[in-house]
Amino acid sequence: MKELVAAALTAAKERGQDVADVPLTAIAATAGISRSTLLRRIGGSRTALDAAVREAGVDPGGRPPVRERAIEAAALLVAERGLAGVTLDAVADRAGCSLPSLHAVFEGRDGLLAAVFERHSALPRLEALAADPPEGLEGTVRALHAAFAAAFEHEPRIVPAVFADLLGRPDGPAARVLAVGLPRTLDILDGLLGPHVRAGRLRPLPTPVLVQLLLGPLLNHVLMRPVLEPALGAGLPSMDETVEIFVDAYLRAVAVPAPAPGGEAGGP
């Protein structure tokens, strides 16, 4: 039975599912046997296989997948305790799963935190923008600011927690989490901003610099906003108003002015 348990765990990991949700045909293929042979060896029902998986210390599932339960539990813990306060023991307890299950799905704490950040970061919104790019430079810049603002304000507040940890511990888990998602994020942003650079609408700055100029003011504002709101009250612009202010400031900083009548460059 050990080799069948190993095959079930491998198939579950490859498919991103609980063992209970993996078809027997997939488990049999991973084990290198036919489905009928698998059924014969587990007594005609997967109950024995699920029991063997459970005895190996892994929850076979049947509820929402361990991956989904763990990401949700970890996200809530990050919002409550910060990244430093999230342990696999605490996640397993809240998600109702075992430690071996978390290791099998995420290969450790960093893998789990990376999955949490990907789920709650701007990446899903950026991928949607990349699939259907906005028209024009101003529309692109506004959509990017809105996507990041939504990610920063999204509950549970994962992105602010990640950046807070990064500022406090540059070699901590946040740095490793960002290292996983940063290449994809920069690729998407280069795909959205690069055409405007090549068309002469944006200054030809390196993509990381264009991104830092875009994100820096917004990130600083979002991290400080919980402190500013009680102090300034109604004097603090809404997030929508703040986004428009930053869009205008970004365009003034990096957009190439349109030629004025007569061929000379106009003002910002």
Side-chain angles (χ1 to χ4, degrees):
M1 183 66 81
K2 288 184 178 180
E3 66 272 22
L4 298 182
V5 169
L9 293 175
T10 298
K13 181 178 178 181
E14 291 175 347
R15 297 168 69 94
Q17 295 177 306
D18 282 355
V19 171
D21 297 321
V22 178
L24 289 178
T25 51
I27 296 174
T30 301
I33 57 179
S34 67
R35 184 177 184 276
S36 59
T37 299
L38 174 62
L39 281 170
R40 185 170 63 253
R41 291 176 62 180
I42 61 177
S45 167
R46 69 181 304 150
T47 302
L49 177 60
D50 288 346
V53 168
R54 191 174 290 107
E55 288 176 3
V58 177
D59 179 6
R63 296 179 287 169
V66 166
R67 179 180 180 83
E68 295 303 314
R69 303 201 316 269
I71 289 175
E72 180 64 22
L76 294 173
L77 288 169
V78 169
E80 293 170 7
R81 308 177 183 180
L83 263 67
V86 177
T87 65
L88 290 182
D89 284 319
V91 173
D93 182 63
R94 183 167 293 196
C97 63
S98 67
L99 280 174
S101 295
L102 294 181
H103 283 287
V105 174
F106 299 103
E107 298 184 347
R109 181 171 178 265
D110 283 355
L112 172 58
L113 293 176
V116 171
F117 182 73
E118 179 174 347
R119 173 74 56 83
H120 293 281
S121 73
L123 261 174
R125 296 175 176 87
L126 294 179
E127 288 173 341
L129 287 178
D132 186 19
E135 291 187 10
L137 174 59
E138 183 175 342
T140 299
V141 171
R142 180 173 289 106
L144 287 174
H145 275 84
F148 281 108
F152 291 153
E153 290 222 298
H154 174 75
E155 293 288 349
R157 290 170 61 83
I158 302 302
V159 177
V162 168
F163 278 98
D165 187 86
L166 179 66
L167 294 173
R169 297 187 298 166
D171 59 346
R176 297 190 292 273
V177 165
L178 289 174
V180 174
L182 190 58
R184 286 171 57 196
T185 301
L186 288 178
D187 283 346
I188 293 172
L189 291 171
D190 183 62
L192 290 166
L193 297 175
H196 296 289
V197 172
R198 292 186 287 274
R201 292 185 287 269
L202 276 179
R203 292 171 59 191
L205 300 172
T207 297
V209 175
L210 286 172
V211 173
Q212 287 172 323
L213 289 170
L214 185 146
L215 283 183
L218 183 60
L219 176 60
N220 180 64
H221 178 82
V222 171
L223 291 177
M224 290 296 297
R225 193 174 179 92
V227 178
L228 295 174
E229 283 179 329
L232 300 181
L236 184 67
S238 69
M239 274 304 298
D240 288 341
E241 293 169 331
T242 301
V243 164
E244 289 301 319
I245 292 169
F246 287 148
V247 168
D248 180 68
Y250 184 77
L251 291 173
R252 287 175 177 273
V254 299
V256 176
E264 297 183 0

